[in-house]
Amino acid sequence: MGKSESPAQSVLSYIKANKIEFVDFKFMDFPGQWQHFTVPSSELKEDSFENGFGFDGSSIRGWKSINESDMLIIPDPTTLFADPFIIAPTISLTCDVVEPATKEKYARCPRSIAQKADAYLKSTGLADTAYFGPEAEFFIFDDARFDSGPNFSFYSVDSIEGKWNSGREENPNLAYKPRYKEGYFPVPPTDKLTDLRNEMVRNLINVGIDVEAQHHEVASGGQCEIDMKFKPLLRAADQLLMFKYVIKNTATKNNKTVTYMPKPIFGDNGSGMHVHVSLWLKGKPLFAGSGYAGLSEMALYFIGGILKHAPALLALTNPTTNSYKRLVPGFEAPVNLAYSQRNRSASVRIPMYSTSPKAKRVEFRCPDPSCNPYLAFSAILMAGLDGVMNRIDPGNPLDKDIYDLSPEELKDVPSTPESLGHALKALEADHDFLLKGNVFTEDVIETWIKYKIDKEIKPMALRPHPHEFELYFDV
């Protein structure tokens, strides 16, 4: 950006200098999918960043009714990136959604909720920046088929890496398929996805995302992880959507497909999204101290807030029925609401890779990448701040391997909800902490709960499950 240029003018200069033909506007729907529409670059003017562009809000999930459908998107000029997947030279801009009559930000726009969470944090005087570092795991498949009708239902996913293909005729089958739960860090040729992940990393870097590492993950059948550098809340959520967009499109260009479903494969690890969080004030980290695991009192109270509100939080951080196929007792996913240093079986972990105060953070391990990051990150922040402001004691840490504890030792350790329905009931009963600063509204909470029940829980409850035929057909 030139010295005298505003962010909006900088976008227009970029368009001219790079002969950009189209501008793609991206915005977030309520459940958590990026939406978009495109205009010729000549349609983008300096006043477009104030006046916006109109669209039909009634066609977006969880939003307006047909009689109040007109909405506006306002592009954010600081979110520009050149889209590497569209043939014509195209830039992408992430947008806020506003009411056309008042130009007020739409209360159900997830991005506006994240902006209000940021503003609320600053208003407390406790901190001015909340950094978030999500680790979104995903599966790369060679084939994914699924369908459901009145008299049938099936899904089938496949991967050249899948251990289930060890005996398949592949003309020839060259073996080296990761064993179940042994996919963490094997070198090629067992890891067959290194080149593809490198291409993904290259594309991520080219759109402005700082990447720390990439690797194969635990599960057989193409589970992977690419780690991004932490960013302030709003930017972290924007970046996670860019991340998913780049990963999916890079895979598609290589004739593969990516899913962020938490549990697409039975009997092996699911995909989580561990979320690292820290609070800062005037450039100084606030979570480093002399307490347990080198934490400050603020950090411990922040953990207390997360643990207290975790059942309600999961309705936003683990928002699908499939999420609770991953969060099952006795497996690697953290279902016990406890905290610990280094212990990956705790739902809140304090990473101990570095002793630097700047690296001190807490890691909430329950979330998964099916979530809407604007809602999930905002809710995590609000829960933690409630802990700080009300000095919520997180209790004693649990430094033992939780999975080796006896039932007697485990009986006093609370657990995550068993299903999305249970999480939604927890959110219904416990959401006052989300309403502070008008970050979330009663309308948002009520609409979220109703949408999830009507569109996901009830349809799932009505359909016979294929495994039920295995269990009950001969009764």
Side-chain angles (χ1 to χ4, degrees):
M1 185 171 70
K3 290 183 179 179
S4 60
E5 283 188 323
S6 68
Q9 291 169 338
S10 179
V11 172
L12 299 176
S13 295
Y14 183 94
I15 288 173
K16 184 176 181 180
N18 293 277
K19 299 181 180 180
I20 299 299
E21 296 181 23
F22 295 97
V23 180
D24 196 58
F25 299 123
K26 296 182 175 68
F27 62 97
M28 192 59 146
D29 72 4
F30 200 47
Q33 288 287 332
W34 240 3
Q35 309 294 320
H36 83 125
F37 66 91
T38 308
V39 301
S41 59
S42 59
E43 290 297 302
L44 187 70
K45 315 292 185 185
E46 190 169 353
D47 63 4
S48 300
F49 294 91
E50 293 184 9
N51 298 331
F53 294 82
F55 73 99
D56 175 11
S58 68
S59 296
I60 303 299
R61 298 181 299 173
W63 278 10
K64 292 285 190 175
S65 59
I66 194 71
N67 63 307
E68 50 178 10
S69 60
D70 288 351
M71 300 289 288
L72 288 175
I73 56 101
I74 304 293
D76 181 342
T78 68
T79 63
L80 179 149
F81 69 88
D83 195 312
F85 304 107
I86 298 175
I87 295 173
T90 301
I91 62 165
S92 172
L93 294 170
T94 302
C95 303
D96 296 314
V97 179
V98 303
E99 299 280 6
T102 63
K103 294 290 181 69
E104 290 182 355
K105 291 184 178 178
Y106 181 39
R108 291 187 196 173
C109 171
R111 196 168 191 262
S112 75
I113 291 172
Q115 290 165 332
K116 288 190 291 182
D118 258 340
Y120 176 70
L121 172 66
K122 293 178 175 66
S123 76
T124 66
L126 294 168
D128 54 28
T129 307
Y131 284 109
F132 280 76
E135 299 175 347
E137 298 168 342
F138 55 95
F139 278 86
I140 301 173
F141 291 131
D142 296 302
D143 187 66
R145 294 173 291 121
F146 45 89
D147 201 357
S148 181
N151 65 323
F152 72 95
S153 180
F154 81 94
Y155 72 89
S156 175
V157 294
D158 207 1
S159 165
I160 189 68
E161 282 195 348
K163 179 62 177 173
W164 57 85
N165 284 324
S166 292
R168 182 173 67 175
E169 179 57 61
E170 294 178 350
N171 300 308
N173 188 321
L174 299 178
Y176 293 110
K177 302 179 191 299
R179 299 178 187 90
Y180 298 112
K181 300 183 181 295
E182 293 188 23
Y184 195 66
F185 283 19
V187 298
T190 303
D191 180 358
K192 296 175 174 59
L193 299 168
T194 300
D195 288 335
L196 178 55
R197 290 197 306 273
N198 281 339
E199 184 178 341
M200 291 170 172
V201 169
R202 187 184 302 118
N203 287 335
L204 289 168
I205 292 171
N206 287 341
V207 300
I209 293 178
D210 296 325
V211 176
E212 294 183 332
Q214 60 94 337
H215 59 85
H216 205 286
E217 257 299 341
V218 173
S220 180
Q223 190 182 35
C224 297
E225 181 178 316
I226 299 175
D227 295 329
M228 301 173 286
K229 189 173 177 63
F230 64 87
K231 297 291 180 183
L233 188 154
L234 182 65
R235 179 59 181 164
D238 286 342
Q239 185 170 270
L240 182 58
L241 299 179
M242 292 169 63
F243 173 86
K244 294 174 78 170
Y245 178 77
V246 168
I247 299 304
K248 289 179 178 180
N249 280 284
T250 305
T252 299
K253 282 191 172 292
N254 285 273
N255 204 33
K256 294 184 184 292
T257 189
V258 160
T259 182
Y260 288 90
M261 273 182 70
K263 191 69 173 179
I265 294 177
F266 167 67
D268 212 335
N269 283 37
S271 291
M273 188 179 74
H274 308 147
V275 179
H276 298 253
V277 190
S278 63
L279 298 183
W280 291 56
L281 179 64
K282 297 179 180 178
K284 295 183 179 179
L286 301 179
F287 276 7
S290 57
Y292 173 79
L295 292 177
S296 65
E297 185 178 63
M298 172 185 277
L300 288 166
Y301 288 143
F302 193 93
I303 292 171
I306 289 177
L307 294 178
K308 176 183 177 181
H309 298 298
L313 275 182
L314 263 64
L316 297 164
T317 63
N318 302 70
T320 68
T321 58
N322 185 252
S323 297
Y324 299 84
K325 302 291 195 299
R326 167 180 168 258
L327 292 175
V328 176
F331 295 90
E332 188 169 331
V335 298
N336 297 289
L337 298 176
Y339 73 103
S340 175
Q341 61 181 344
R342 301 192 297 183
N343 190 344
R344 294 172 188 269
S345 60
S347 59
V348 176
R349 186 176 76 99
I350 301 91
M352 302 297 288
Y353 297 123
S354 172
T355 58
S356 168
K358 292 183 177 181
K360 191 57 64 178
R361 60 199 187 273
V362 301
E363 177 191 6
F364 187 31
R365 295 176 62 81
C366 293
D368 67 55
S370 69
C371 71
N372 183 326
Y374 297 115
L375 304 184
F377 296 170
S378 299
I380 292 169
L381 176 62
M382 296 302 287
L385 288 177
D386 188 62
V388 174
M389 297 172 78
N390 291 291
R391 303 175 70 85
I392 297 174
D393 186 348
N396 294 322
L398 193 56
D399 286 331
K400 300 177 182 178
D401 185 341
I402 294 174
Y403 301 120
D404 286 339
L405 295 182
S406 67
E408 184 65 22
E409 291 175 295
L410 267 177
K411 66 180 177 61
D412 295 324
V413 180
S415 298
T416 56
E418 296 177 0
S419 67
L420 178 59
H422 285 97
L424 291 171
K425 287 180 180 178
L427 178 62
E428 187 175 33
D430 174 28
H431 61 260
D432 286 351
F433 70 98
L434 296 172
L435 304 179
K436 294 178 181 177
N438 200 39
V439 174
F440 289 78
T441 63
E442 287 283 2
D443 172 70
V444 166
I445 300 298
E446 290 171 4
T447 302
W448 181 263
I449 292 172
K450 186 177 188 304
Y451 181 91
K452 288 289 172 179
I453 291 174
D454 291 348
K455 302 295 186 181
E456 298 177 29
I457 291 177
K458 285 183 177 178
M460 281 291 293
L462 288 170
R463 285 164 169 77
H465 188 285
H467 192 59
E468 289 178 318
F469 285 81
E470 186 83 19
L471 295 172
Y472 307 128
F473 190 80
D474 60 350
V475 295

